[in-house]
Amino acid sequence: MMRGKIKRALAGLFVLLLALCLSAGLYVGLKGYGMYREALEQKPLAEMAEQVRAQPDFTPLDELPRLYRDAVVAVEDHRFYSHGGVDFIALCRALWNDVCAGAFVEGGSTITQQLAKNLYFTQEKVLTRKAAEAFMAWAIEKQYTKDEILELYVNSIYFGSGYYNVRQASEGYFGKAPAQMTPYECTLLAGVPNAPSAYDPAQNPGLARQRQKKVVEQMVERGCLSAAQAREALTPG
């Protein structure tokens, strides 16, 4: 009899926890959707894209080295060309790591979500903002192609040292236009936006090169570089 009571108590506790989780998820989703709608009303997607493209130092995607584009996708969002704006595999992995750590240690954001965050929301790590970011990412994916999204992304992210797009960063760090970047410079620059203060090549060259090695490793793992090409990408000059 005692065993039966314990089982019923555990079952009741499970149902209660499940109900609480569902309620919390619904609340976060509704609040996030409200934030998304409000942001979109203040700045429609077309206006957002035009604002980025109107920058005097905007760089079209076809003026960026293929190696740089591959490096960005490999290290930031390797399923970029196959997901619909939110990578649920990466999201679940990040959620598990966050739960294990008891803090926000991994984001799981896609390139599209990062674009949404940079142009519409704050950097604050709260669940309602993450939900709003996901809704905005889905909207962006419906309106723009993957190449257009990548183009907007590299023209609106922070690279450290006061550089807010790929041209500013390339000219500031290397003294050249993005199209002229070497494989070494492409892989070095691709690693910076993950943590601009830490990986700023001018301020923390050692950390920047450590991050660059991670970028190159990811490119080799994804089949973007051969071993010989990887060695070239890690060689200055």
Side-chain angles (χ1 to χ4, degrees), residues 67-68 71-72 75-76 159 169-170 173-174 181-196 198-202 204-216 219 225 232-237:
L67 183 63
Y68 171 73
V72 171
V75 76
E76 290 292 337
F159 288 86
S170 179
Y173 289 129
F174 312 129
M181 288 192 296
T182 64
Y184 178 86
E185 292 163 343
C186 285
T187 53
L188 184 67
L189 195 61
V192 176
N194 179 260
Y199 301 133
D200 183 323
N204 302 303
L207 287 177
R209 285 193 291 272
Q210 287 181 29
R211 175 64 177 171
Q212 179 187 28
K213 290 179 181 178
K214 176 68 174 178
V215 172
V216 172
M219 294 185 75
L225 291 179
E232 179 186 359
L234 291 173
T235 304

Side-chain angles (χ1 to χ4, degrees), residues 72-81 83 87 109-112:
V72 171
V73 172
V75 76
E76 290 292 337
D77 182 7
H78 70 273
R79 282 183 286 269
F80 174 64
Y81 285 99
H83 64 62
D87 185 343
S109 292
T110 64
I111 284 175
T112 316

Side-chain angles (χ1 to χ4, degrees), residues 43-163:
K43 186 193 296 183
L45 287 175
E47 183 180 327
M48 174 274 293
E50 182 55 35
Q51 181 178 313
V52 176
R53 290 168 175 158
Q55 298 174 123
D57 43 16
F58 176 83
T59 306
L61 199 65
D62 59 9
E63 292 182 17
L64 294 172
R66 182 75 204 188
L67 183 63
Y68 171 73
R69 290 146 54 186
D70 288 345
V72 171
V73 172
V75 76
E76 290 292 337
D77 182 7
H78 70 273
R79 282 183 286 269
F80 174 64
Y81 285 99
S82 61
H83 64 62
V86 175
D87 185 343
F88 289 101
I89 296 174
L91 191 63
C92 290
R93 184 192 65 239
L95 180 61
W96 173 256
N97 290 336
D98 289 345
V99 169
C100 291
F104 286 106
V105 296
E106 187 175 340
S109 292
T110 64
I111 284 175
T112 316
Q113 286 175 277
Q114 292 179 59
L115 176 64
K117 176 179 63 179
N118 291 341
L119 297 179
Y120 282 100
F121 306 110
T122 68
Q123 302 297 313
E124 187 181 9
K125 293 183 177 181
V126 294
L127 291 177
T128 50
R129 195 272 294 160
K130 292 291 289 184
E133 176 187 294
F135 284 118
M136 189 65 75
W138 286 322
I140 291 171
E141 291 271 350
K142 288 180 180 179
Q143 189 157 328
Y144 297 100
T145 67
K146 290 290 188 178
D147 283 350
E148 287 173 328
I149 293 168
L150 183 60
E151 183 179 72
L152 292 170
Y153 172 73
V154 298
N155 279 282
S156 61
I157 50 175
Y158 185 54
F159 288 86
S161 289
Y163 305 135

Side-chain angles (χ1 to χ4, degrees), residues 6 14 18 82 102 133:
I6 293 174
F14 174 77
L18 181 60
S82 61
E133 176 187 294

